[in-house]
Amino acid sequence: MKIALLPGDGIGPEVTAEAVRILKNVAEHAGTPITFTTHAIGGVAIDAEGAGLPEATLEACLGADAVLLGAVGHPKFDGRLPSERPEAALLALRQALGGFANLRPAICYAPLAKRTAFQPERVRGANLLIIRELLGGLYYGEPRGFEASGDTAFNTLIYSRHEIDRVARVAFERARERRGHVASIDKANVLETSRLWRTVVSDVAKEYPDIALEHVYVDTCAMRLATTPTSFDVMLCDNLFGDILSDQAASIAGSLGLLPSATLGGTVDLYEPVHGSAPDIAGKGWANPIGAIASAAMLLRFTAGMEKEAAEIDHAIEDALASGARTRDLAGPGERVLSTHEMGHAIEDALAEVRDRRHSYHAV
Ligand code: NAD
Ligand code: IPM
Ligand code: MN
């Protein structure tokens, strides 16, 4: 298997280094060769090559079996237009790879329930999967821009039946593997695109009579995520709502650094943690690598077909947390704080133990 590794900016290189070490460990143990080639993207690519997504990077990604990305973005580009920022490189890469379904699981790991901002009994047991439409909506809609005066700006929110249909099918299929419930998130009381979203999702639902579908307004959804997150299983969202709600879901898990993602449905699958480049902690060894490591597990599950190894990593993450391994974002008063690298090692050690014990494990 060939993986194009795009560490990117800020904590991106720190967290992907740990994910790569775990993948190499798995490759060696399973006797399945995995090769990595590293390429520039984002702010570091703008600085070095004058382009956020250099041609060579894109070519390498298109020639790989999967792409593993850290994060992009740096405050020094804050004054720039969206199209000239590091983030534009990521949006262009997503478009070029073609994956439209972005899977963002969020789990409240039992040992962390008391570390969240919520009463532990509210979040304990929460285990949800946001399916975020990744190639449409406000992010890519045309026309967009500023009017000549510079005092008016506009973006276009546009969705076609085709775009909604294909991502809805992913949500229903995933729900079949989980608890059989899809919440489709929209703003159908205000937006035409949401009216269409609701219609198409309801049409697709007719082909999945075994799955329970509910339509939830996005504002209510935000409230319910804070009050009764356990009432959700699969959450189907458009591009913008999925972006916002996945960060909110991170508060149920306990830290943004915990959340992984997989982007499927295109020519090459893309794996990236949900968090950004975290300039406030970059270079300090404080970053939580679990989002990146869990993204690597998703890569094994969805691209490599290595479900057993993926589940073992998921289990190792749970075990490391249960044994008290905490990066700075997870540590409570008096708890020992591990560096990014130490957390990677704690999970690698837990992985060895998981293999030894050969626990049965039910995947997300
Ligand atoms: P962010 O996700 O980088 O950070 C938000 C907060 O969460 C910060 O306090 C940060 O320290 C913390 N955090 C994030 N990841 C963490 C981790 N692994 N371990 C511990 N703490 C972690 O969001 P932001 O600060 O709003 O954005 C910073 C830059 O990242 C911006 O340029 C933004 O556009 C970009 N960004 C990139 C991606 C991506 O590449 N996929 C995603 C989100 C934001
Ligand atoms: C994410 C990020 C990106 C997005 C940015 C950096 C373009 O916030 O992956 O959640 O909005 O999709
Ligand atoms: Mn985001």
PDB file of all heavy atoms in Angstrom, residues 283-296:
ATOM      1  N   GLY A 283       4.685  23.074  18.084  1.00  0.00           N
ATOM      2  CA  GLY A 283       6.105  23.047  18.421  1.00  0.00           C
ATOM      3  C   GLY A 283       6.404  22.760  19.876  1.00  0.00           C
ATOM      4  O   GLY A 283       7.561  22.681  20.286  1.00  0.00           O
ATOM      5  N   LYS A 284       5.368  22.588  20.689  1.00  0.00           N
ATOM      6  CA  LYS A 284       5.583  22.408  22.129  1.00  0.00           C
ATOM      7  C   LYS A 284       5.533  20.945  22.565  1.00  0.00           C
ATOM      8  O   LYS A 284       5.810  20.637  23.722  1.00  0.00           O
ATOM      9  CB  LYS A 284       4.515  23.193  22.908  1.00  0.00           C
ATOM     10  CG  LYS A 284       4.613  24.709  22.737  1.00  0.00           C
ATOM     11  CD  LYS A 284       3.660  25.386  23.738  1.00  0.00           C
ATOM     12  CE  LYS A 284       4.108  26.782  24.114  1.00  0.00           C
ATOM     13  NZ  LYS A 284       3.620  27.815  23.200  1.00  0.00           N
ATOM     14  N   GLY A 285       5.088  20.063  21.657  1.00  0.00           N
ATOM     15  CA  GLY A 285       4.943  18.665  22.059  1.00  0.00           C
ATOM     16  C   GLY A 285       3.693  18.433  22.897  1.00  0.00           C
ATOM     17  O   GLY A 285       3.589  17.441  23.610  1.00  0.00           O
ATOM     18  N   TRP A 286       2.750  19.352  22.823  1.00  0.00           N
ATOM     19  CA  TRP A 286       1.530  19.250  23.626  1.00  0.00           C
ATOM     20  C   TRP A 286       0.370  18.613  22.866  1.00  0.00           C
ATOM     21  O   TRP A 286      -0.638  18.230  23.466  1.00  0.00           O
ATOM     22  CB  TRP A 286       1.060  20.645  24.083  1.00  0.00           C
ATOM     23  CG  TRP A 286       1.939  21.295  25.081  1.00  0.00           C
ATOM     24  CD1 TRP A 286       3.027  20.739  25.706  1.00  0.00           C
ATOM     25  CD2 TRP A 286       1.828  22.644  25.578  1.00  0.00           C
ATOM     26  NE1 TRP A 286       3.588  21.666  26.574  1.00  0.00           N
ATOM     27  CE2 TRP A 286       2.877  22.837  26.506  1.00  0.00           C
ATOM     28  CE3 TRP A 286       0.951  23.712  25.320  1.00  0.00           C
ATOM     29  CZ2 TRP A 286       3.062  24.044  27.184  1.00  0.00           C
ATOM     30  CZ3 TRP A 286       1.123  24.904  26.000  1.00  0.00           C
ATOM     31  CH2 TRP A 286       2.177  25.073  26.918  1.00  0.00           C
ATOM     32  N   ALA A 287       0.478  18.537  21.551  1.00  0.00           N
ATOM     33  CA  ALA A 287      -0.676  18.123  20.733  1.00  0.00           C
ATOM     34  C   ALA A 287      -1.070  16.676  21.029  1.00  0.00           C
ATOM     35  O   ALA A 287      -0.226  15.811  21.243  1.00  0.00           O
ATOM     36  CB  ALA A 287      -0.344  18.273  19.253  1.00  0.00           C
ATOM     37  N   ASN A 288      -2.359  16.452  21.018  1.00  0.00           N
ATOM     38  CA  ASN A 288      -2.906  15.105  21.192  1.00  0.00           C
ATOM     39  C   ASN A 288      -2.873  14.405  19.823  1.00  0.00           C
ATOM     40  O   ASN A 288      -3.486  14.884  18.872  1.00  0.00           O
ATOM     41  CB  ASN A 288      -4.349  15.237  21.695  1.00  0.00           C
ATOM     42  CG  ASN A 288      -4.962  13.910  22.060  1.00  0.00           C
ATOM     43  OD1 ASN A 288      -4.493  12.868  21.601  1.00  0.00           O
ATOM     44  ND2 ASN A 288      -6.006  13.952  22.858  1.00  0.00           N
ATOM     45  N   PRO A 289      -2.175  13.275  19.712  1.00  0.00           N
ATOM     46  CA  PRO A 289      -2.083  12.602  18.405  1.00  0.00           C
ATOM     47  C   PRO A 289      -3.221  11.616  18.137  1.00  0.00           C
ATOM     48  O   PRO A 289      -3.221  10.941  17.106  1.00  0.00           O
ATOM     49  CB  PRO A 289      -0.752  11.854  18.518  1.00  0.00           C
ATOM     50  CG  PRO A 289      -0.679  11.468  19.971  1.00  0.00           C
ATOM     51  CD  PRO A 289      -1.371  12.584  20.745  1.00  0.00           C
ATOM     52  N   ILE A 290      -4.181  11.524  19.065  1.00  0.00           N
ATOM     53  CA  ILE A 290      -5.201  10.461  18.936  1.00  0.00           C
ATOM     54  C   ILE A 290      -6.072  10.656  17.688  1.00  0.00           C
ATOM     55  O   ILE A 290      -6.398   9.686  16.995  1.00  0.00           O
ATOM     56  CB  ILE A 290      -6.043  10.352  20.227  1.00  0.00           C
ATOM     57  CG1 ILE A 290      -5.166   9.798  21.357  1.00  0.00           C
ATOM     58  CG2 ILE A 290      -7.270   9.452  20.010  1.00  0.00           C
ATOM     59  CD1 ILE A 290      -5.860   9.620  22.695  1.00  0.00           C
ATOM     60  N   GLY A 291      -6.419  11.909  17.367  1.00  0.00           N
ATOM     61  CA  GLY A 291      -7.216  12.138  16.153  1.00  0.00           C
ATOM     62  C   GLY A 291      -6.490  11.625  14.915  1.00  0.00           C
ATOM     63  O   GLY A 291      -7.092  11.003  14.032  1.00  0.00           O
ATOM     64  N   ALA A 292      -5.188  11.868  14.857  1.00  0.00           N
ATOM     65  CA  ALA A 292      -4.391  11.403  13.710  1.00  0.00           C
ATOM     66  C   ALA A 292      -4.251   9.882  13.723  1.00  0.00           C
ATOM     67  O   ALA A 292      -4.356   9.223  12.682  1.00  0.00           O
ATOM     68  CB  ALA A 292      -3.014  12.074  13.723  1.00  0.00           C
ATOM     69  N   ILE A 293      -4.035   9.316  14.913  1.00  0.00           N
ATOM     70  CA  ILE A 293      -3.860   7.857  15.010  1.00  0.00           C
ATOM     71  C   ILE A 293      -5.178   7.146  14.681  1.00  0.00           C
ATOM     72  O   ILE A 293      -5.194   6.133  13.965  1.00  0.00           O
ATOM     73  CB  ILE A 293      -3.338   7.475  16.421  1.00  0.00           C
ATOM     74  CG1 ILE A 293      -1.903   7.995  16.595  1.00  0.00           C
ATOM     75  CG2 ILE A 293      -3.408   5.970  16.640  1.00  0.00           C
ATOM     76  CD1 ILE A 293      -1.356   7.896  18.016  1.00  0.00           C
ATOM     77  N   ALA A 294      -6.285   7.689  15.167  1.00  0.00           N
ATOM     78  CA  ALA A 294      -7.592   7.091  14.853  1.00  0.00           C
ATOM     79  C   ALA A 294      -7.915   7.262  13.359  1.00  0.00           C
ATOM     80  O   ALA A 294      -8.615   6.428  12.769  1.00  0.00           O
ATOM     81  CB  ALA A 294      -8.686   7.698  15.727  1.00  0.00           C
ATOM     82  N   SER A 295      -7.396   8.314  12.740  1.00  0.00           N
ATOM     83  CA  SER A 295      -7.558   8.470  11.286  1.00  0.00           C
ATOM     84  C   SER A 295      -6.789   7.368  10.554  1.00  0.00           C
ATOM     85  O   SER A 295      -7.263   6.824   9.547  1.00  0.00           O
ATOM     86  CB  SER A 295      -7.057   9.847  10.821  1.00  0.00           C
ATOM     87  OG  SER A 295      -7.780  10.896  11.436  1.00  0.00           O
ATOM     88  N   ALA A 296      -5.610   7.045  11.084  1.00  0.00           N
ATOM     89  CA  ALA A 296      -4.825   5.949  10.497  1.00  0.00           C
ATOM     90  C   ALA A 296      -5.585   4.626  10.628  1.00  0.00           C
ATOM     91  O   ALA A 296      -5.560   3.791   9.712  1.00  0.00           O
ATOM     92  CB  ALA A 296      -3.463   5.869  11.173  1.00  0.00           C
TER      93      ALA A 296
END
